Amino acid sequence: MRILASMIAFGRMGHISVFSSSRASRLVGRCFTSAFMWQCSLVFSLVVVALGTVNVGTSGDEKVAKLAPVKELTPFATKHCISCHDKKTLKGGFDMETLLTDPTVDKNPAAWQSVLERIVSRDMPPKNRKDRPTEAEYRQNEDWLRDQIHAHEAFAAAQRPRPMRRLNRDEYNRTIQQIFGLSGFKPADSFPPDDGVEGFTNIGEGLNLSAVLIEKYINAARDIADRALVEGAQPASRKWLFTHDFYQSKKGDGPIKGHDPGGAVLQLPNLPPRWVGDHFFVQFTTPAQGNYAVRLRATPRNLSVRPKYIPHFAYRLNDELVHQGDVPIQDDVQMQQEFVMSVEKGWTSIDFRWVNGFPNNNGLRAQQFKFPEWTPHEADIHSGPWNYLQYEWKPAYAKDPKTPYPFPYFENFTLEVEGPLYPEGWPASRFQRENAKAIASRDTRRIGQWLLPKLFRRPAKDQEVADFVAYVERSDKALAEIKPQTLPPDRRYIEALRIGLQRELVSPHFLFMVEPGAIGRPLTDHELATRLSYFLWSASPDEELMKLANEGKLRSALPAQVKRMLADSRSAAFLDRFTMEWLGLAKLSSSMPEPTIFTRFDEQLRTAMFDEPRAQLGYLLKENQSLNELLDAPYTFLNDQLADLYHLPSLWSMFPMKRNGFEPISGGNIRKVMLPDGQRGGLVTQAVFLSLTSENTRTSPVRRGVWILEKIFNRTPPPPPPILPWRHRE
């Protein structure tokens, strides 16, 4: 199994000692070539590969590539290739006769790679030829040519300058959050976008350093230092209570406001407002940066009309999604959903939406709903999500007020916000809390001994600590000499420490993953810990990894550490990054299916489409399942809206379909679902794949074929033949 082998190897540096540098970034296809040959354990393979990448490589001292002469392939090529690919015939524009005159494969590696692909696929010679090679001949020449190409690429990789791999934006954010304990703080969001290499943003060659980025690093260092060292007492916490005041006077700290009150609230005479769907927002001013608890309370009613219904809520802080999730409910029992978010000081807006509420939330719920007695004109103007209520329930309610409402709803809904909260204590910065005594006593050496190993991801050298101490002392002295003096003596040291912290935050040992020494040498335990941590968590090693590395015990403990790290919630970073970049899901963000044709598509559905392949890969890792299930599985991962898209029974729809043996799905959380009759399993049947490989108004078989060839089988399609008419018109 080579999928995780490729991921670990190329997830760290621009070139790879185990696999070819030019081909390694096409990591997915190779894995399937071998993965389909046997069942494999993902976690076991991950451990084996992590150990393998430590010692396998080509020595930088090697001067000559040990390659066999190409003439060993001549009998096979003469018998099966030359007749179509000699200098005169040049079928497909390929000259095999001239290629065979090269002494070794390193003279034209791209052409030999093409030959290897044809041998591997067994599509050359053409299948209509009677005199085709035997399987033994194919395999013998395939193995020989692959070995020669790998030997050449390993040698070429050893001769190239070794790129230093810098942290990408996501890794920078997660590293700062972990070291300084500043949850939700994302200083790298203002950095220029990271360049990708074939879609991946953790390749050394693609992570360039520009003048703009250097300026951003300096600005971010100042911002981090200001948050890492704060002065003053802990800000007082308070609560805001927001209630809906459609029928009542203002209560608490303000009203809950509706973007579309007519769509969110049902107004019935002499009854409290009923929240039936859509979204609301509240606005207020936060006194300080910190964590704020958000609590939504509401009383569900009328659940008997939708047995086993589960509501799903999504929250946006200043237009950025910060939380979403299902809430199990019981009729007439107050429900509460609570989460904590990081909020900056100042004007704040929280938008909260009942995603799968009724009856609106996307016209697909009642599209093409019609009554037999309507004329064609009435059917046209009345089409839409409100037909059922407007032309069926409301007339019945007008005649008899006891007519029950046909959908669940909420009453007595409030939103409470409390903060700022500091669950880890004050100050909010872990750096400041754990070094409080050293800061108070001005013990800069002790501070450096705490800080530098975490930033550099290895033990700090004595000289590095001494340089940090000297720099802070010089800064303190310089601040004392400022005329006119702007800082009192008791504040100078804090400011000098901030300046010293900024210096270390722009050090190459922090910004880059430095691995000095010859290419191919065994990694140190600290380098291995760094590779493993950034591969699985996109963050720096934690205390347990560093402790094992310091003691020289990481290699022996590696299997257990891999399992621990995969079980940790931080491994979601790996799933997000790898799934997004391997499958090219980022393109879905800009995909805009024609709304008049694809009426089921909206932003919430787009999110569910992102989550389906990510959830499947996470399941395979957690449960040690076979990679074969990425292409063929009797299950998938759905929520109510995605199930409705696939025409499966779902309580998302206003009028759920029924299917024997399949219980309707409710709730917006993604969960594993066994498909009826085991149909439609695997990546290529998922909505995200179908959308990515389609035009805005129609499907595209060509795009889908290219996607499968490149992502699954590592077979880049050749250019169109030169005889095609459109080629001559260029």
Side-chain angles (χ1 to χ4, degrees):
M1 191 276 290
R2 299 181 68 177
I3 184 168
L4 289 173
S6 298
M7 289 190 294
I8 274 201
F10 110 49
R12 180 60 184 89
M13 304 298 286
H15 75 274
I16 293 88
S17 58
V18 180
F19 303 102
S20 69
S21 60
S22 61
R23 310 290 295 176
S25 54
R26 296 178 184 178
L27 72 167
V28 179
R30 293 186 179 181
C31 80
F32 283 101
T33 302
S34 55
F36 290 156
M37 304 303 293
W38 66 83
Q39 298 288 320
C40 56
S41 162
L42 296 184
V43 173
F44 176 76
S45 300
L46 180 58
V47 173
V48 170
V49 172
L51 288 170
T53 58
V54 173
N55 294 310
V56 179
T58 303
S59 170
D61 297 331
E62 189 174 4
K63 302 300 182 183
V64 180
K66 298 178 180 178
L67 300 176
V70 168
K71 64 181 181 181
E72 295 191 24
L73 199 67
T74 300
F76 177 87
T78 301
K79 181 178 180 181
H80 300 290
C81 307
I82 295 298
S83 60
C84 294
H85 300 285
D86 58 8
K87 295 178 182 180
K88 294 182 179 180
T89 309
L90 288 177
K91 192 170 184 179
F94 194 83
D95 183 359
M96 187 71 181
E97 184 179 359
T98 300
L99 191 62
L100 286 171
T101 63
D102 292 339
T104 52
V105 298
D106 60 325
K107 300 303 180 183
N108 198 339
W112 285 112
Q113 180 67 47
S114 179
V115 173
L116 176 61
E117 290 178 355
R118 294 293 177 261
I119 295 177
V120 169
S121 63
R122 306 296 195 258
D123 58 8
M124 286 292 169
K127 295 184 179 180
N128 59 2
R129 283 189 52 170
K130 295 181 179 180
D131 185 21
R132 283 175 55 82
T134 65
E135 181 59 29
E137 288 179 301
Y138 266 130
R139 188 169 297 279
Q140 176 184 353
N141 289 276
E142 173 190 339
D143 291 344
W144 182 89
L145 186 53
R146 178 181 286 108
D147 289 343
Q148 294 302 300
I149 291 176
H150 283 185
H152 157 68
E153 291 179 333
F155 174 78
Q159 305 309 306
R160 288 197 299 270
R162 186 171 193 160
M164 287 179 60
R165 218 277 261 171
R166 69 167 173 84
L167 303 182
N168 62 31
R169 296 201 308 171
D170 183 53
E171 292 166 344
Y172 187 101
N173 282 335
R174 293 177 186 273
T175 300
I176 293 300
Q177 292 170 10
Q178 179 168 305
I179 292 175
F180 294 94
L182 300 172
S183 61
F185 179 42
K186 299 179 179 180
D189 282 4
S190 64
F191 294 179
D194 296 313
D195 293 328
V197 175
E198 297 200 24
F200 287 85
T201 59
N202 60 345
I203 309 298
E205 286 93 335
L207 294 170
N208 300 313
L209 191 64
S210 65
V212 173
L213 184 55
I214 291 174
E215 182 179 357
K216 292 292 186 180
Y217 280 148
I218 295 172
N219 295 337
R222 178 68 199 191
D223 195 8
I224 295 166
D226 288 343
R227 294 170 184 261
L229 285 164
V230 298
E231 300 174 77
Q234 177 177 337
S237 178
R238 61 158 295 186
K239 291 183 180 180
W240 293 262
L241 180 65
F242 301 92
T243 62
H244 191 272
D245 65 344
F246 206 91
Y247 285 99
Q248 52 195 316
S249 60
K250 182 177 177 180
K251 292 183 178 181
D253 290 272
I256 294 176
K257 304 174 184 179
H259 292 274
D260 178 13
V265 175
L266 177 66
Q267 309 170 44
L268 298 174
N270 304 317
L271 291 174
R274 296 177 174 181
W275 184 15
V276 297
D278 207 59
H279 53 155
F280 294 107
F281 67 94
V282 299
Q283 294 174 320
F284 57 104
T285 301
T286 52
Q289 186 277 333
N291 292 321
Y292 287 74
V294 178
R295 304 179 184 98
L296 175 66
R297 298 187 179 96
T299 302
R301 310 283 192 200
N302 208 35
L303 296 185
S304 60
V305 299
R306 292 269 168 158
K308 299 184 179 181
Y309 171 71
I310 303 173
H312 186 84
F313 302 94
Y315 302 79
R316 290 185 174 273
L317 170 66
N318 298 329
D319 294 328
E320 180 182 356
L321 182 66
V322 291
H323 182 78
Q324 61 180 335
D326 290 349
V327 185
I329 54 176
Q330 299 180 39
D331 216 342
D332 300 326
V333 177
Q334 185 186 63
M335 72 96 184
Q336 174 173 306
Q337 185 176 40
E338 180 175 359
F339 68 96
V340 176
M341 61 183 183
S342 178
V343 182
E344 298 293 323
K345 178 181 179 180
W347 185 247
T348 300
S349 175
I350 301 175
D351 183 299
F352 57 104
R353 179 174 183 176
W354 179 9
V355 176
N356 56 353
F358 300 95
N360 64 333
N361 284 320
N362 203 316
L364 66 93
R365 291 177 177 275
Q367 284 272 344
Q368 301 174 349
F369 177 78
K370 300 176 182 178
F371 287 105
E373 62 271 20
W374 287 355
T375 66
H377 176 69
E378 288 175 325
D380 179 63
I381 63 174
H382 292 159
S383 63
W386 288 98
N387 288 338
Y388 181 72
L389 292 177
Q390 188 70 23
Y391 301 104
E392 180 72 8
W393 176 77
K394 281 191 176 181
Y397 180 80
K399 294 179 180 179
D400 181 6
K402 294 183 180 180
T403 301
Y405 186 69
F407 306 113
Y409 58 87
F410 287 102
E411 290 182 352
N412 307 318
F413 44 99
T414 65
L415 190 78
E416 180 182 272
V417 182
E418 181 182 5
L421 305 174
Y422 303 97
E424 301 297 328
W426 178 260
S429 163
R430 173 194 175 197
F431 167 76
Q432 193 170 0
R433 289 196 311 271
E434 297 189 8
N435 290 281
K437 292 182 179 179
I439 294 171
S441 62
R442 300 194 176 196
D443 190 347
T444 312
R445 179 172 298 279
R446 182 177 170 187
I447 296 171
Q449 290 171 340
W450 184 96
L451 176 67
L452 298 187
K454 291 178 172 58
L455 290 179
F456 298 167
R457 301 170 283 272
R458 57 166 173 77
K461 301 175 183 177
D462 291 342
Q463 187 58 49
E464 290 171 331
V465 175
D467 289 345
F468 174 73
V469 172
Y471 190 80
V472 173
E473 290 175 349
R474 289 198 303 271
S475 300
D476 193 359
K477 183 178 179 181
L479 290 169
E481 295 174 353
I482 293 178
K483 304 297 183 183
Q485 185 170 329
T486 58
L487 289 176
D490 59 339
R491 291 189 57 200
R492 282 204 310 266
Y493 180 73
I494 294 294
E495 186 60 28
L497 197 54
R498 286 195 185 103
I499 296 172
L501 181 54
Q502 292 175 63
R503 175 179 181 262
E504 303 306 330
L505 286 168
V506 295
S507 166
H509 293 279
F510 168 66
L511 298 174
F512 292 82
M513 300 179 193
V514 181
E515 294 180 358
I519 295 174
R521 65 165 176 80
L523 296 176
T524 67
D525 274 24
H526 294 98
E527 291 166 347
L528 180 58
T530 296
R531 286 198 185 193
L532 189 61
S533 182
Y534 278 98
F535 175 64
L536 291 179
W537 288 348
S538 292
S540 56
D542 64 357
E543 283 77 4
E544 185 169 340
L545 273 178
M546 289 301 291
K547 182 176 183 295
L548 289 169
N550 291 339
E551 296 172 352
K553 298 178 180 179
L554 180 56
R555 283 183 175 80
S556 60
L558 196 57
Q561 286 302 303
V562 170
K563 292 180 181 179
R564 175 183 74 87
M565 296 174 71
L566 286 174
D568 193 286
S569 61
R570 285 172 286 186
S571 64
F574 161 72
L575 293 176
D576 293 344
R577 174 179 56 78
F578 178 69
T579 310
M580 181 76 68
E581 296 180 349
W582 166 38
L583 298 178
L585 300 189
K587 295 179 182 178
L588 186 64
S589 300
S590 58
S591 175
M592 295 297 294
E594 175 55 46
T596 59
I597 300 176
F598 304 102
T599 57
R600 297 171 181 267
F601 190 85
D602 64 3
E603 289 304 313
Q604 199 67 30
L605 180 60
R606 191 197 304 267
T607 300
M609 290 163 61
F610 275 127
D611 290 341
E612 187 178 8
R614 179 167 44 194
Q616 184 175 16
L617 183 60
Y619 170 77
L620 295 181
L621 284 172
K622 183 178 179 181
E623 302 298 330
N624 274 347
Q625 297 299 309
S626 168
L627 275 177
N628 292 349
E629 295 181 15
L630 285 176
L631 292 189
D632 184 21
Y635 62 85
T636 190
F637 292 80
L638 305 175
N639 65 2
D640 51 7
Q641 190 176 5
L642 198 54
D644 186 68
L645 176 71
Y646 291 146
H647 299 287
L648 294 172
S650 166
L651 298 188
W652 167 265
S653 173
M654 287 184 67
F655 308 103
M657 63 180 294
K658 296 181 180 180
R659 190 162 186 169
N660 292 335
F662 193 94
E663 185 174 327
I665 296 172
S666 184
N669 289 354
I670 292 287
R671 81 294 307 270
K672 183 182 177 184
V673 176
M674 300 302 298
L675 295 167
D677 305 322
Q679 299 175 357
R680 203 199 54 75
L683 286 176
V684 296
T685 66
Q686 294 177 3
V688 65
F689 160 75
L690 301 175
S691 179
L692 286 173
T693 56
S694 298
E695 306 288 352
N696 288 355
T697 59
R698 60 183 176 82
T699 60
S700 176
V702 173
R703 282 190 177 184
R704 292 180 179 175
V706 170
W707 191 94
I708 292 173
L709 284 174
E710 292 186 340
K711 300 295 184 181
I712 306 300
F713 297 110
N714 190 33
R715 290 282 309 279
T716 302
I723 60 173
L724 290 182
W726 69 268
R727 297 276 296 186
H728 293 289
R729 293 198 299 268
E730 288 185 346

